[in-house]
Amino acid sequence: MEKRKIIMDVDTGSDDAIALVMAMLDEHFDLLGITAVNGNIEVKLTTDNSLRVVECCDKQGEVKVYKGCEYPIASTLISWTAQSFRGVPIREGSKDNATAVHPDQLPLPAPTIKEEEDSAVVFLIETLLAAEDGEITLVPVGPLTNIAVAMRADPRIIPKIKEIMIMGGGHDVNNSSPASEFNVWIDPEAFEIVLQSGCKITLVPLDATHKCFMTVEEAQKVRAIGTKPALLIADLIEQRTTGYAQMDAEMKALNGAPIHDALAVCALVYPEVLKNVVHVNCHTDISRGFAYGETIIDQRIRVNPEPKNCYFAFDADKDIFVKWMIDVLEKDKANRGM
Ligand code: RIB
Ligand code: CA
């Protein structure tokens, strides 16, 4: 089977960690590297957490981590914006590491490996320039700062990109503000730069990811697999459920939490996991008003419509998503001879 070459761009983060486990264990992928960015927590922590996950999957020496941008491109430059709180995001949930949706440290041992010398942006540019046209898929599941900066620094990378599978955006579902999804909200200008790049883009927005929530009961099925990665995922589903119960009434009632980022990885293996996928014209509100960071889809029926620039998944199939996760973890267990 020819493996799909991917680069994961993450703000690890509890659901990023689950996405990283799946990207490292699913045998459909050749994971070329992990680039960390400021987002859920500061970039030194998202980098450290990504290193922890690499070791949890026993991929040290095989999968490398690169530290990326510490601040968004522009959103923190004007002090009155919410994003400007000390230049790092307002964190989801409580400040308590035990109940935060995104703890500063994942429930894993401190890493014994270190990030690479090269920055994430240098790694992205050098790796993409060395590739054939259309060879590499980018899978950003945090703010798009690293990718937007790389595109601005060297646009020659754009034709090298096969597809960008983005966890980001929202239409009927938002979280960081009534109009905006977190990954866009932290760096709206970066999101718009990528939307205007001309790459093939699929948006996996909250409208889809909130359908692929996982419950504490399902976490027990994952835990029963018994491998280190499975135990981590079970712990993180439970931690996310605790964190979401403090802010999201729907998830509190479901006794679960959306596993946003892993859905973007699943969609590369099982595109049918995304439902009601529509080719649309979408742009980002960067006007710094109440809707700053909104992903706005042009649904007008125009004589000369705006060009369509992305595929937007308005729905998703939870059964396909959960079965994929269990199957990959069970295959890893077999590969470990357990
Ligand atoms: O809005 C959900 C996104 O924001 C996810 O990527 C989560 O990790 C946070 O970064
Ligand atoms: Ca994320």
Side-chain angles (χ1 to χ4, degrees):
M1 163 181 60
E2 187 181 347
K3 295 189 176 222
R4 184 162 184 158
K5 296 180 187 298
I6 66 171
I7 295 173
M8 292 292 301
D9 188 72
V10 294
D11 59 334
T12 312
S14 53
D15 58 326
D16 307 72
I18 297 172
L20 285 177
V21 168
M22 302 308 291
M24 283 187 274
L25 300 186
D26 188 311
E27 296 175 341
H28 290 88
F29 298 122
D30 176 6
L31 178 57
L32 302 180
I34 298 168
T35 51
V37 69
N38 164 68
N40 289 315
I41 46 182
E42 299 85 335
V43 71
K44 69 180 186 309
L45 298 176
T46 62
T47 304
D48 177 83
N49 280 327
S50 299
L51 291 165
R52 292 174 188 237
V53 181
V54 167
E55 288 197 294
C56 173
C57 293
D58 298 304
K59 296 289 185 183
Q60 55 272 26
E62 187 182 331
V63 177
K64 296 179 178 178
V65 177
Y66 300 83
K67 182 179 173 196
C69 295
E70 187 175 1
Y71 293 92
I73 288 176
S75 64
T76 58
L77 294 178
I78 299 179
S79 61
W80 55 268
T81 56
Q83 296 83 343
S84 296
F85 177 70
R86 290 188 293 108
V88 294
I90 309 287
R91 292 183 23 179
E92 293 177 344
S94 85
K95 295 293 180 198
D96 170 8
N97 219 48
T99 60
V101 172
H102 302 292
D104 283 357
Q105 285 81 32
L106 292 176
L108 288 171
T112 64
I113 54 175
K114 291 208 174 305
E115 68 270 20
E116 301 304 303
E117 278 299 306
D118 281 348
S119 73
V121 172
V122 166
F123 166 74
L124 284 165
I125 292 172
E126 290 186 348
T127 304
L128 286 164
L129 288 183
E132 298 299 320
D133 282 7
E135 186 178 1
I136 297 176
T137 297
L138 303 184
V139 190
V141 295
L144 286 167
T145 315
N146 289 340
I147 293 171
V149 169
M151 285 181 170
R152 280 292 197 252
D154 197 332
R156 293 179 299 167
I157 66 173
I158 290 173
K160 306 290 189 172
I161 299 167
K162 177 186 180 73
E163 176 178 12
I164 310 180
M165 180 66 74
I166 301 173
M167 191 278 127
H171 188 64
D172 292 324
V173 183
N174 282 296
N175 54 14
S176 292
S177 81
S180 184
E181 178 277 323
F182 181 87
N183 289 338
V184 186
W185 183 78
I186 287 296
D187 199 340
E189 288 78 8
F191 202 85
E192 184 60 19
I193 287 169
V194 175
L195 276 180
Q196 294 187 15
S197 65
C199 289
K200 180 189 175 189
I201 292 171
T202 298
L203 294 186
V204 182
L206 296 175
D207 305 71
T209 65
H210 273 237
K211 297 291 180 59
C212 294
F213 63 90
M214 288 187 75
T215 64
V216 169
E217 186 182 354
E218 286 166 326
Q220 298 325 312
K221 290 180 189 161
V222 172
R223 187 177 300 283
I225 296 169
T227 60
K228 285 190 300 179
L231 296 176
L232 171 66
I233 290 179
D235 288 346
L236 293 176
I237 293 170
E238 291 171 357
Q239 173 141 15
R240 289 180 61 78
T241 299
T242 303
Y244 262 82
Q246 299 174 61
M247 61 182 182
D248 185 316
E250 181 187 26
M251 288 300 156
K252 185 174 183 179
L254 291 166
N255 196 26
I259 314 297
H260 309 286
D261 297 343
L263 181 57
V265 179
C266 180
L268 290 170
V269 183
Y270 297 107
E272 63 271 27
V273 75
L274 300 179
K275 294 161 63 179
N276 192 9
V277 179
V278 182
H279 198 194
V280 297
N281 171 267
C282 178
H283 286 289
T284 317
D285 183 338
I286 54 175
S287 60
R288 291 178 178 269
F290 185 69
Y292 188 33
E294 182 177 10
T295 46
I296 301 166
I297 294 171
D298 188 348
Q299 303 193 81
R300 297 171 298 172
I301 313 298
R302 311 292 289 171
V303 170
N304 295 308
E306 290 292 312
K308 300 181 187 326
N309 59 350
C310 68
Y311 294 85
F312 194 98
F314 285 92
D315 195 357
D317 186 316
K318 173 180 161 72
D319 293 340
I320 294 175
F321 175 70
V322 174
K323 181 180 185 310
W324 165 71
M325 183 179 291
I326 299 291
D327 289 350
V328 168
L329 293 171
E330 290 283 9
K331 182 77 168 30
D332 173 61
K333 179 177 184 176
N335 290 343
R336 291 168 182 263
M338 290 174 69

